[in-house]
Amino acid sequence: MNPPPSRPDPDRLLAEVQAEEARQRRGRLKIFFGACPGVGKTYAMLQALHERRREGVAVCVGLVETHGRKETEALLEGLPVLPRKCIDYRGRSLPEFDLDAALASSAALIAVDELAHTNAPGSRHAKRWQDVEELLAAGIDVYTTLNVQHLESLHDVVAAISGVRVRETVPDRVFDAADEVTLIDLPAADLVQRLRAGKVYLPEVAQAAVERFFRPGNLIALRELALRRVADRVDVQMRALRVREDVAAVWPTRERLLVGIGSARDAPLVRAAALLASRLEAEWVAVHVDRLTSAEPHEPRDGVMRLLSEARRLGADVLTLAGDDVASLLARCARDRNANRIVLGAAHERRFAPPWRRDLARAVQRLAPEVDIVRIGDAASGPAGTGHTPAARRALAPAAADAARPRHPYAWAIAACALATAVAWPLAQVFDLANIVMVYLLAVVLVALRAGRLAGASAALLAVLCFDFFFVPPHLSFAVSDTQYLLTFALMLAVALIIGQLTARLRFAVLAMRQRERRSALLTRLANELSAALEAGRIVEIAEETLRAHFGVEITVCLPDEQHRLLPPPAGREVDVSIAQWVLDHGEPAGAGTGTLSASATRYLPLKAPMRVRGVLAVTARDTATWQHPEDMETLEACAGQVAVALERVHFVEVARNTLVQMEGERLRNTMLLTLSHDLRTPLAGILGTAELALQREIDSAVRPLLQGLIDQARAMQALLDNLLQLARLQSGAVRPDKQWHALEEIVASALQHTRSACARHRLDVQLPADLPLVEVDALLLERALVNLLDNACKHTPSGCTVSVSARLENDDTLRLDVADDGPGWPGDDPSRLFAPFQRGARESAVPGMGLGLALAERIAALHGGRLEARKREPHGSVFTLRLPHRPPPEEGSGA
């Protein structure tokens, strides 16, 4: 029979009512979902829109991409269509969905195609699904379309299958939150036929699409992904409905197995269940019941824990329940997990159990008749839940283990009864026999409390025998002279057994509570101490000291350097750096007790933080049983997570501190540069003017070269000061580009004129197309950038090398300007350091300069909305490419 329905939780009912009210205020989202383009999603969406219009609903088309398909275009007839909003981007007008017009319309239902579309820059939202969410928040229903490859969780899977990586994705939460998902499916052969007929893409594109993406194998795999994703969504909705409606019965809508593990002899059961789950493509849950009245208290629990770990490795969820009624617990767990099959080992007959409790499978079937029972094997498997009390565990909690597992339980029973007899013997001369019975009952309670259930039962039986032998006439004999003592013996035995079992059960509950409290205290203490730590070194100390004291194992925290390579551990620690580095790189545990490099005596856990893996926690235990307890390993992993979050917090605090220091340093440096530039420009101008004036007069021929050298050096210093001043202004944000329409030929010619002396010993090659249009730039700033690029090329190449300047348009929206040379090229492989202020390509270079030219050119490019790139030229040389945004120049007389 099914358990009686429980009383609904008022708080949950109130939350459900509030959630339903929120759903009523929002619009409803319907997604037409497909495996790939061309299956007919947009067509089906427009058909559904016509049906809703015939029902009297105010509908309109917000945006639909027909891709030139005549059948789809025909369905637009008769439907109101919102005009698209044009957004200017880099000189082009891009048509986009007009969100404001949709919100202002009177439509109750709007069709918005291609949910994963990325909006043009300048739109209110970056993604179209964000537009749809705003419509839903305004109470407007939305129909939309989506392909499986655009789901965020399946993005990498689809890329691995098809070899095509899409950039536009939709979060799975949007898909899961949809009120309705309609799967539009089409067989692979029919889709390929539609492609070849030109009904999906234009004929010249269709053949290439069939050969690359729309291969039969790809289409079959994508169909399966789409079907499974829709099935997963339905399964989640069904389980939520069961919780909301308090449905007790199992609904076998999907294969889900629940496997009962009773003892260490159930290893064949675990392997068979994993194989069955694989064949059925089903989820499975491994459950072990710690029975409070186990008949086998000495059976090691380590074997059961190893089986649970093995089940988890094979893909199962693992649960450990506590209670006496194994059948009821399994039935309840099956209903909670909506498992339609319970897998058990062939039950061993429990000889001394009541007949109705000997067969576990029948008991479960009686409690949950809607669940199928699968029994596997008949020799090695024991019934689920025949495991003993969680007695002693030599694991990560040695103190609790010693308290839980007495070494000689039956010796306790004998000693306690002997002591009770010794105490009761003199008392029997004064008190009635009823009081002597109380002494023996007290002994039974103490034995059960200290040594467990079977020892308590043994003490109860021994107490009755001692009471009969020593205190009931005739003394020192088991004979009974008065038959009324038989009833006394029976009642005494029953009371002793009941009290002993209740005491043992209380002991078990106290031990379990202490264990849970110990874990909670550990996590709380660790969190409190980590929250006060401000340095990574202090976090490592706290983690190692706290975990070492709690678990009784050797703990080592390994942290990486800036190159993500682990720092060497302290001397004397049993840490294999190569294994730890593998864990850091892959983010997966390895070592003892895992399936990776399990020969190691140390277990390595990744310190996973939200952003990245922050280190490795190495745990070295003396006993291999340490790794066989899932509860303790879960606690250790939770502690590792707290340590990782603390390390990431400290990392970002340090990043923020360094950023503030760097910003302050930049501000002070810019101030100093501005001051120096202004203060040095005036005397330098006087020196340069005086030297030029002296050079114009009649002077000794021996002095003239000296004056010319002075003028050249002064001009070089003046250019250096100009760069310093300009860079400081750009970094302070005080410069705004004055963009005007200019001929690029004039800017290049002016830059060449300024660098004629620096490039006098080089060959110059200028290639500018005759039809190059006008460019909208700040001529002075662009000229400065070109001067620096040319000066850099001539300074760092030998005499006689060729320096070339070329320009062209890319995609009609980008101006590309290249300055190349055939010199030795810049050293190293990292071009980004070339653009840092005061950085030079070769640190020991004899070429004069401070490393400001490229930094200034890079900032000028950024100020125009472009970028400066560097690459090496084959077989030798360097190429610096300046890319600037370009838009068509205005027509004459337009006034633009």
Side-chain angles (χ1 to χ4, degrees), residues 145 221 275 309 344 351 407 542 553 658 674 685 771 781 785 865 896:
T145 61
L275 181 60
S309 299
L344 301 173
R351 186 173 303 172
R407 295 183 180 273
I542 292 173
V553 294
N658 293 339
L674 283 171
D771 57 348
L781 290 179

Side-chain angles (χ1 to χ4, degrees), residues 10-30:
D11 294 334
R12 195 187 71 185
L13 292 177
L14 178 60
E16 290 176 0
V17 170
Q18 293 173 344
E20 183 61 29
E21 290 178 352
R23 283 193 295 268
Q24 293 294 334
R25 289 192 296 267
R26 283 178 59 87
R28 294 179 59 82
L29 175 63
K30 181 174 182 178

Side-chain angles (χ1 to χ4, degrees), residues 793-823:
C794 295
K795 278 183 178 180
H796 294 88
T797 55
S799 300
C801 290
T802 300
V803 177
S804 61
V805 180
S806 61
R808 69 176 187 271
L809 287 180
E810 288 184 343
N811 302 325
D812 296 331
D813 61 356
T814 302
L815 173 66
R816 173 173 175 170
L817 189 61
D818 292 328
V819 177
D821 63 71
D822 56 359

Side-chain angles (χ1 to χ4, degrees), residues 375-453:
R375 299 173 68 170
I376 296 178
D378 58 358
S381 299
T386 58
H388 57 81
T389 304
R393 300 190 326 187
R394 296 168 308 151
L396 305 176
D402 293 341
R405 180 179 295 170
R407 295 183 180 273
H408 305 288
Y410 297 106
W412 280 89
I414 297 173
C417 289
L419 181 61
T421 302
V423 171
W425 184 261
L427 296 179
Q429 308 301 324
V430 181
F431 298 101
D432 294 335
L433 292 183
N435 295 315
I436 303 302
V437 171
M438 295 299 104
V439 175
Y440 281 106
L441 290 181
L442 177 61
V444 172
V445 170
L446 294 177
V447 170
L449 186 62
R450 182 65 181 86
R453 282 175 288 276

